[in-house]
Amino acid sequence: MSDGSSAGKLIEVEDITRVFHVGGEEVRALRGVSFGISRGEWVAIIGQSGSGKSTLMNVLGCLDTPSSGRYTLNGKDVSRMSDDELAVIRNEEIGFIFQTFQLLPRETALANVELPLVYRGLPARERRERAKAALEKVQLAHRMHHRPNELSGGQRQRVAIARALVAQPSMLLADEPTGNLDSATGEEIVRLFEELHRAGNTLVLVTHEPKLAARCPRAIRLSDGQVVADGPGREVALGIGAAVMAAGGT
Amino acid sequence: MKLPRGVRVDVLEGVRIALFSLKANRLRTVLTTLGIGIGVATLLAIVGIIQGLNTSFHRQLATFGANTLYVSKFPWAMKGDWWVYRNRKNFTMDQVTRLRSLAPFLSAISPTVQRVADVAYGGEQLSTVRIQGVTHEYLTISGYEVTAGRFLTEADDEVTRPVAVIGADVADGLFPGISPLGQSIRIDNRTFQVVGTLSRKGKIVNESLDLVVFVPFKSFYSSFGKGRGLEIAMAVADPTQVRRAEDQLVGILRRIRGTPPGLPDDFSINKPEAMAQTYEQLTGALYGVAVGVGLITLLVGGIGIMNIMLVSVRERTREIGVRRALGARKRTIVFQFLMEAASVSAVGGLLGTTAGLGTAKVVSLITPLAADVQATTVVGGVAFAAVVGLLFGIWPAARAANLDPVEALRYE
Ligand SMILES: Nc1ncnc2c1ncn2[C@@H]1O[C@H](COP(=O)(O)OP(=O)(O)OP(=O)(O)O)[C@@H](O)[C@H]1O
Ligand SMILES: [Mg+2]
């Protein structure tokens, strides 16, 4: 694992745990996770169902806070931030892309894309222009006045990607973005990610498809709340090479 | 023009989302609105009618004059024990004469005695007319003005002239289109000649002050008998000294009526003002009950709002999660739902205000009650409803804001 200087890293995760309390029982979803991600990287997070991928994603996206450990995003320690401060971080640093798109059903594509800019407090004119530009980037400018139920699954996910891009965040977080799409449409979305990666965006992508992970320059494998492999996507996805670590080790 | 960020994000966006959601759920909005609207309407109609009642009552009382006192054996507002008052000795004309010489602080004093009778002229007849025997000084005490002819004179009383001064309702009722002056009217087969007419005074509660005939005090006794007790009407010379005059009157009256020391007064000093007080006690209780009913209706409406807001929050759990993920703060979510609650209620308030004012207006048209509602009431009604909405929206809004974003996004 490339554990060098932490300077210049966009994300620095150190020994993060997340414990849920269900009834009287403790569920340890993350058990000491550490890694760093640099600006412009495209990282896939893979692992079996229940391995803690979504939990990690929520922590990285500042929707959830770790039970212990330290999380530094863009030089700021976000693990001890207040709820309001985290809302600002989510608004300015992070673009979410969900498996189920999570568009507001009653609003048009344009209004959906504008939403992050509303919470940034931009005036309506500027919001509109930037939202249009983002929809053009995903080739959906001609559908901007349509509501989500008038769009195909692939189109909806492209609207969601435009929404994630519009506020020019530090990174895009996508949890199974192709999970609800057929393979051809999924491929379209992956191509879009490749484009975004080439344009310099930082991407973190949760997937359980080894084929998709293999296309990423880097992948991290989780197992039972721990990092068990971290290295070039192809090697981690196929379970070969030096990237694979002994379970429980960091 | 640039508004502060907080106002733009929280208030403006909150209002926009609120209106959007109200439009999307039209039927639900209307039904919720009805609840609060009925509450506001009830409250307003009641307040309007009772206030109107009070206003007209006070306006009528004012025509009596603030410096008038009325002494008789009965108090105006009788509290039980009617027999106690009944058994008091009647006032006599002799006592009136002695009072005049003993009370220089009175500017006018007149015995009054009255009955109700039918009054006829030619073929016309009016029933239940108040016939009142008074002396010439009564005019200044009563506050009537002479519109034609003259009022009763001292001479009328001395020689027991069968003359009469009639109120506006009597003049209109018996002499439509002709002058009553010099005409003879019949009261119980006694004939009186009309020598004057009086200005209109209106109604007090529901009784006309203009359906009245004044005759000389002595003529009243000689025509209708002396059996009735008399009341003494008087005006205090200095209107600022009414209280003192009252105190002095007590002593003078006890002396005149020979009340032994230690026994209670055997007379009552009545004031129009005191009548207003009893009246207000009466309507005050009514007011309290009615406002209570209105508030309960409003409470029910408010609970309706709370209920619908809880439904709205639940329905939009995922939306809340999305908004939170995209950077909405808790405060912003709170505002969104508070604005929604407040706008539903404000719409209800507007409907309710209109309905309430309409009801009050209709009541004032078909009954003698005057509804008294000002433009500020409309603004007040809407604002009040909005505040009710805000109050009942607080809990649902807080629930929405405190949802865990991760859970909310996963909500099915
Ligand atoms: N809110 C929660 N309360 C209790 N346990 C939770 C909660 N969220 C996650 N878990 C538990 O934490 C573990 C990791 O869950 P997570 O959702 O992160 O898995 P995942 O890797 O995303 O799985 P999948 O591929 O099925 O989405 C699981 O055992 C899960 O049951
Ligand atoms: Mg998951």
Side-chain angles (χ1 to χ4, degrees):
Chain A
M1 181 178 164
S2 52
D3 222 29
S5 65
S6 65
K9 286 251 195 289
L10 179 62
I11 279 183
E12 198 65 54
V13 170
E14 290 164 66
D15 203 19
I16 275 187
T17 67
R18 181 67 171 100
V19 182
F20 294 105
H21 299 272
V22 185
E25 267 181 65
E26 280 193 350
V27 178
R28 291 150 61 82
L30 295 176
R31 314 206 268 175
V33 172
S34 304
F35 58 84
I37 295 176
S38 302
R39 231 169 259 287
E41 270 198 278
W42 182 6
V43 184
I45 295 176
I46 58 174
Q48 289 184 329
S49 183
S51 56
K53 304 183 297 292
S54 293
T55 306
L56 178 60
M57 215 50 169
N58 291 335
V59 170
L60 293 183
C62 297
L63 280 171
D64 195 11
T65 44
S67 306
S68 72
R70 205 176 140 88
Y71 172 26
T72 317
L73 171 62
N74 220 350
K76 288 168 277 193
D77 182 1
V78 292
S79 36
R80 303 282 171 274
M81 276 189 177
S82 72
D83 202 88
D84 273 5
E85 289 169 320
L86 288 177
V88 174
I89 295 283
R90 288 197 293 269
N91 184 252
E92 294 178 353
E93 309 279 2
I94 292 156
F96 286 101
I97 298 154
F98 302 95
Q99 179 175 354
T100 51
F101 321 133
Q102 304 280 24
L103 298 175
L104 301 189
R106 288 197 295 240
E107 307 264 12
T108 61
L110 189 66
N112 267 289
V113 176
E114 272 185 48
L115 213 48
L117 303 179
V118 168
Y119 293 124
R120 190 167 293 187
L122 294 188
R125 277 262 305 271
E126 193 181 339
R127 278 187 338 227
R128 188 129 309 184
E129 272 157 30
R130 286 176 64 171
K132 274 184 199 164
L135 279 169
E136 268 159 29
K137 255 190 228 171
V138 297
Q139 273 104 47
L140 273 180
H142 61 297
R143 288 292 155 86
M144 65 185 174
H145 296 303
H146 289 234
R147 276 173 232 285
N149 63 1
E150 298 157 356
L151 299 172
S152 73
Q155 286 173 329
R156 284 183 215 184
Q157 194 58 302
R158 269 149 62 196
V159 172
I161 291 170
R163 182 179 67 184
L165 285 172
V166 75
Q168 290 165 340
S170 302
M171 64 170 166
L172 298 180
L173 294 182
D175 193 346
E176 306 269 15
T178 57
N180 276 22
L181 301 174
D182 60 59
S183 54
T185 322
E187 179 57 28
E188 243 176 68
I189 298 295
V190 176
R191 291 250 171 80
L192 189 52
F193 279 131
E194 278 170 350
E195 236 172 79
L196 292 172
H197 172 57
R198 273 199 298 278
N201 290 287
T202 312
L203 296 169
V204 180
L205 171 75
V206 166
T207 180
H208 62 266
E209 291 175 57
K211 259 172 48 192
L212 176 50
R215 286 165 72 175
C216 299
R218 180 182 166 195
I220 295 172
R221 181 183 287 278
L222 286 185
S223 174
D224 202 14
Q226 287 179 309
V227 175
V228 291
D230 185 349
R234 229 182 66 84
E235 291 180 21
V236 175
L238 302 176
I240 54 172
V244 184
M245 317 171 193
T250 28
Chain B
M1 188 199 68
K2 225 174 158 220
L3 292 164
R5 186 189 172 278
V7 175
R8 260 182 298 147
V9 175
D10 296 337
V11 181
L12 291 191
E13 185 63 10
V15 170
R16 195 191 69 81
I17 298 170
L19 295 182
F20 195 76
S21 140
L22 297 191
K23 240 172 53 192
N25 298 301
R26 272 206 196 95
L27 180 62
R28 194 161 87 184
T29 305
V30 168
L31 291 178
T32 316
T33 292
L34 274 184
I36 207 100
I38 290 170
V40 171
T42 317
L43 205 57
L44 266 187
I46 292 166
V47 170
I49 290 167
I50 293 182
Q51 268 176 0
L53 214 68
N54 282 350
T55 313
S56 55
F57 187 77
H58 278 281
R59 205 181 294 133
Q60 290 152 1
L61 271 187
T63 65
F64 273 108
N67 62 332
T68 55
L69 295 173
Y70 296 80
V71 173
S72 78
K73 64 178 191 176
F74 292 109
W76 282 352
M78 248 183 278
K79 298 181 194 76
D81 296 339
W82 182 75
W83 282 101
V84 174
Y85 305 120
R86 171 76 237 240
N87 290 336
R88 287 169 167 181
K89 281 179 294 179
N90 277 339
F91 273 93
T92 64
M93 198 52 213
D94 183 46
Q95 288 171 348
V96 177
T97 316
R98 286 185 64 198
L99 178 60
R100 184 195 303 282
S101 62
L102 288 172
F105 51 85
L106 298 178
S107 61
I109 178 166
S110 165
T112 82
V113 61
Q114 56 176 289
R115 57 169 301 206
V116 172
D118 296 346
V119 180
Y121 168 76
E124 306 283 342
Q125 176 159 336
L126 286 176
S127 52
T128 62
V129 178
R130 190 154 46 93
I131 314 298
Q132 215 171 332
V134 298
T135 63
H136 65 285
E137 285 176 53
Y138 189 77
L139 182 65
T140 54
I141 304 169
S142 69
Y144 287 101
E145 274 162 34
V146 175
T147 49
R150 61 170 178 86
F151 196 67
L152 305 172
T153 63
E154 235 176 319
D156 288 336
D157 205 51
E158 271 161 25
V159 299
T160 325
R161 272 191 200 127
V163 292
V165 176
I166 60 177
D169 282 350
V170 178
D172 291 349
L174 294 182
F175 305 99
I178 55 168
S179 166
L181 295 185
Q183 308 291 350
S184 293
I185 54 174
R186 267 170 295 111
I187 307 172
D188 273 9
N189 294 324
R190 306 259 168 185
T191 305
F192 292 83
Q193 192 186 22
V194 179
V195 295
T197 58
L198 298 172
S199 57
R200 185 173 290 283
K201 261 180 105 168
K203 285 179 185 171
I204 193 147
V205 189
N206 212 5
E207 192 184 324
S208 171
L209 296 173
D210 302 306
L211 195 61
V212 65
V213 172
F214 290 104
V215 299
F217 182 76
K218 278 192 189 151
S219 310
F220 186 100
Y221 267 2
S222 70
S223 299
F224 309 119
K226 295 192 179 189
R228 278 166 262 265
L230 64 84
E231 185 178 48
I232 311 169
M234 56 196 84
V236 179
D238 183 351
T240 63
Q241 297 294 316
V242 177
R243 271 230 72 89
R244 237 180 68 124
E246 249 181 280
D247 292 342
Q248 287 174 288
L249 269 179
V250 172
I252 295 167
L253 287 168
R254 285 179 74 97
R255 188 135 53 92
I256 291 172
R257 287 167 71 85
T259 318
L263 284 189
D265 298 343
D266 65 343
F267 53 84
S268 299
I269 301 176
N270 298 308
K271 295 180 287 187
E273 199 188 308
M275 202 153 93
Q277 274 164 19
T278 19
Y279 174 80
E280 263 164 24
Q281 273 166 17
L282 195 88
T283 54
L286 200 71
Y287 206 74
V289 172
V291 168
V293 170
L295 285 179
I296 288 170
T297 322
L298 213 53
L299 180 76
V300 174
I303 291 171
I305 298 267
M306 185 146 81
N307 183 33
I308 219 67
M309 289 312 297
L310 287 173
V311 170
S312 178
V313 168
R314 166 151 304 202
E315 247 177 20
R316 290 152 75 182
T317 301
R318 242 139 76 96
E319 174 188 324
I320 294 163
V322 172
R323 289 180 186 279
R324 295 276 281 137
L326 299 183
R329 301 174 201 203
K330 283 189 178 181
R331 197 178 56 209
T332 309
I333 301 293
V334 166
F335 260 96
Q336 175 185 334
F337 285 96
L338 280 187
M339 289 300 138
E340 188 174 324
S343 14
V344 184
S345 310
V347 173
L350 194 64
L351 294 182
T353 311
T354 320
L357 294 191
T359 310
K361 264 267 130 50
V362 168
V363 167
S364 77
L365 284 179
I366 60 178
T367 72
L369 301 176
D372 187 39
V373 269
Q374 285 102 30
T376 48
T377 321
V378 181
V379 181
V382 175
F384 183 59
V387 169
V388 170
L390 279 182
L391 287 180
F392 284 92
I394 287 174
W395 186 51
R399 269 179 68 134
N402 285 323
L403 286 172
D404 175 34
V406 175
E407 301 277 329
L409 281 167
R410 265 210 304 250
Y411 185 84
E412 294 295 331

